[in-house]
Amino acid sequence: MVNLKNNYNNLFLEELKLDEENIFLQILKIRNQKFVRENMYNNKIIGTDEHLNWIRCQLSKNTKKIFKIIFKNKLIGLIILSNISTVYKKSVWAFYLSKDAQTGLGALVEYKFLNLFFGNFDFENLNCEVLEFNKSVINLHKKFGFEVKNIIKNRVVRNGMAHNAIFMRINKNKWQISKKKIEKKLKL
C-alpha cells in the first residue's frame, strides 16, 4: 500500500532559476514524452534550441514562474504559473508529470501547489485549461474544488479533429473549504 503521508513529505516544489541550466535538458526529456505531449496544446517533439529559448524566455518574465516537481530527489515534472496578475490577484497554471511518476502523485502535487499558491501568494483566483479528452485531470481538478467556467471551442486540432478546452477556476475561499476534505481523504 502506498504511504501518502510519506510520499507527501518526499515531494517538493522548487522555483526554477535561470542559473539551473543543468536541469533544463531534464525538463525537455519530460516535455517530449508522448504521455506528456499528447495532453499539451503543442504535441510536437520539441527541439533542444526551441526548448532552451522557451524556458529562458519564461524565466525572464515577471508574469511567469516555473516550479520543479521533485520526488525523492528526482525531477518528475513541472508547474508553470503564467499570466500572473498582482492587480487582479489571479494566475493560470498547468503542470505535467513524467510517465515514470508514481501513481497518485498528481493529487499530492495539486494539493501542495494549491496550498503554496493560496497560502504564500496574495492571490484570489487560479485558472487552468484542460483539453476535453484529458478526463482524469478534469476530474482531479474538480475533486480539488475547481469549477468549469467556460468551454473554449476548437482549441486544438489532432488528426484532423477539433477538440475543445475546458476552462476551470478555483478561488481562495473554495480552496479553504475543499482543502479540509482533501486532507481527510489523503490522510495528511
Side-chain angles (χ1 to χ4, degrees), residues 22 31 45 92 95 125 130 139-140 152 160 172 179:
N22 58 320
R31 286 182 74 203
I45 297 283
V92 175
F95 81 93
N125 291 296
V130 184
N139 291 332
L140 177 69
I152 304 163
K172 191 176 206 173
K179 178 181 173 179

Side-chain angles (χ1 to χ4, degrees), residues 34-186:
K34 187 174 191 265
F35 172 81
V36 172
R37 284 186 295 112
E38 64 192 13
N39 291 300
M40 295 173 69
Y41 287 141
N42 176 0
N43 66 341
K44 308 288 188 259
I45 297 283
I46 302 162
T48 302
D49 289 340
E50 178 186 1
H51 170 72
L52 293 175
N53 289 336
W54 173 82
I55 208 158
R56 288 180 186 122
C57 180
Q58 302 304 305
L59 291 172
S60 67
K61 295 179 180 178
N62 63 0
T63 58
K64 299 195 181 233
K65 288 185 183 293
I66 298 177
F67 295 88
K68 302 172 288 189
I69 303 170
I70 309 291
F71 181 64
K72 295 185 178 177
N73 299 314
K74 182 180 177 196
L75 179 73
I76 61 161
L78 214 60
I79 295 171
I80 300 148
L81 195 57
S82 59
N83 299 334
I84 297 170
S85 172
T86 53
V87 174
Y88 297 106
K89 298 186 176 197
K90 67 179 185 171
S91 188
V92 175
W93 85 309
F95 81 93
Y96 47 86
L97 295 173
S98 165
K99 67 177 173 45
D100 303 321
Q102 185 175 321
T103 302
L105 286 179
L108 294 177
V109 167
E110 186 141 343
Y111 174 82
K112 191 163 263 204
F113 183 74
L114 289 173
N115 270 339
L116 174 71
F117 183 80
F118 289 118
N120 293 22
F121 303 125
D122 186 28
F123 288 110
E124 292 297 323
N125 291 296
L126 182 62
N127 302 318
C128 65
E129 293 179 19
V130 184
L131 293 173
E132 66 185 344
F133 51 78
N134 195 350
K135 303 281 188 210
S136 62
V137 171
I138 293 167
N139 291 332
L140 177 69
H141 290 333
K142 285 180 178 179
K143 286 177 187 173
F144 278 79
F146 279 85
E147 297 173 337
V148 174
K149 293 298 185 181
N150 197 8
I151 307 294
I152 304 163
K153 299 286 185 186
N154 306 319
R155 187 68 160 104
V156 298
V157 175
R158 298 281 165 79
N159 300 320
M161 190 170 155
H163 295 280
N164 301 329
I166 310 303
F167 179 81
M168 304 179 82
R169 173 180 297 140
I170 188 170
N171 65 41
K172 191 176 206 173
N173 292 334
K174 180 77 172 183
W175 171 240
Q176 293 307 318
I177 294 165
S178 297
K179 178 181 173 179
K180 292 178 175 94
K181 294 176 195 169
I182 298 297
E183 285 172 347
K184 284 182 186 174
K185 190 168 189 162
L186 295 178

Side-chain angles (χ1 to χ4, degrees), residues 15-32:
E15 192 169 345
L16 183 64
K17 304 291 182 192
L18 266 171
D19 64 357
E20 293 184 284
E21 295 219 0
N22 58 320
I23 303 286
F24 294 0
L25 293 178
Q26 292 177 48
I27 292 168
L28 176 61
K29 285 180 185 172
I30 295 171
R31 286 182 74 203
N32 272 335

